[in-house]
Amino acid sequence: ELNANCQSIRAIAKAQFRRSNAVVAGQFESTPSYAKASEDILSRAVAVNAAWSHVPTPDTWTPIPGLNRAAFAAKIAEAETLVKTAVEKEKTASLAAALRLEKSAEIHDANVAWYAVAKNSFPPGSPQRTMIESTLTHHHEPQPGPQPPDVS
């Protein structure tokens, strides 16, 4: 909705002020005409709000029915909160992924160390060592299914 509001406000302001106030029209013309990512939409809204400050009566000008500058600023504040929350969640998820990798490496190292100690604790050929040596020490990828015969 914020992106659509920016598009509408930009178009309306450019058309409305083109002849009566070229400076204001130019301010809106200089705002981004397109935004897709959340951060870009937020930057675009901030730029539109800054251009809005050049309107002769910024607090009472309503380019869209029911949307004055205060309401638009509230939408920007809400979007900032949402973007900040999303960024924080992404950072938390990245940190959790890094911790999982670190813990996985620790577990792997402990398993490798255990395997070496356990294997060398028994003489070659003993049932205990044979059992330990039969333990899978790495993940096996499934073998591909039957292959068609080579007809070359």
Side-chain angles (χ1 to χ4, degrees):
E1 180 183 12
L2 185 60
N3 199 28
N5 287 154
C6 289
Q7 185 68 30
S8 297
I9 293 166
R10 183 177 189 271
I12 291 165
K14 283 173 32 183
Q16 182 176 343
F17 295 110
R18 183 169 316 204
R19 290 192 176 100
S20 65
N21 194 330
V23 172
V24 172
Q27 292 292 325
F28 281 97
E29 178 71 36
S30 68
T31 63
S33 61
Y34 176 80
K36 189 171 184 178
S38 299
E39 294 87 359
D40 296 338
I41 293 169
L42 184 56
S43 295
R44 180 183 189 194
V46 169
V48 167
N49 193 38
W52 195 326
S53 70
H54 296 279
V55 170
T57 56
D59 294 332
T60 58
W61 184 61
T62 55
I64 300 171
L67 185 66
N68 60 18
R69 189 163 183 221
F72 188 66
K75 287 179 182 265
I76 292 172
E78 180 183 357
E80 285 173 334
T81 300
L82 291 173
V83 167
K84 182 179 179 183
T85 300
V87 167
E88 287 172 0
K89 284 182 179 180
E90 187 175 314
K91 285 180 183 176
T92 301
S94 292
L95 179 60
L99 290 173
R100 278 192 305 275
L101 287 174
E102 183 180 320
K103 185 54 76 177
S104 177
E106 287 176 19
I107 291 170
H108 173 75
D109 292 345
N111 284 339
V112 168
W114 170 87
Y115 182 80
V117 169
K119 183 174 132 182
N120 294 323
S121 295
F122 301 99
S126 69
Q128 296 88 349
R129 185 165 180 163
T130 302
M131 182 200 61
I132 292 168
E133 288 174 338
S134 70
T135 303
L136 290 177
T137 57
H138 60 280
H139 177 72
H140 290 281
E141 292 295 321
Q143 296 298 317
Q147 299 297 313
D150 185 15
V151 292
S152 53

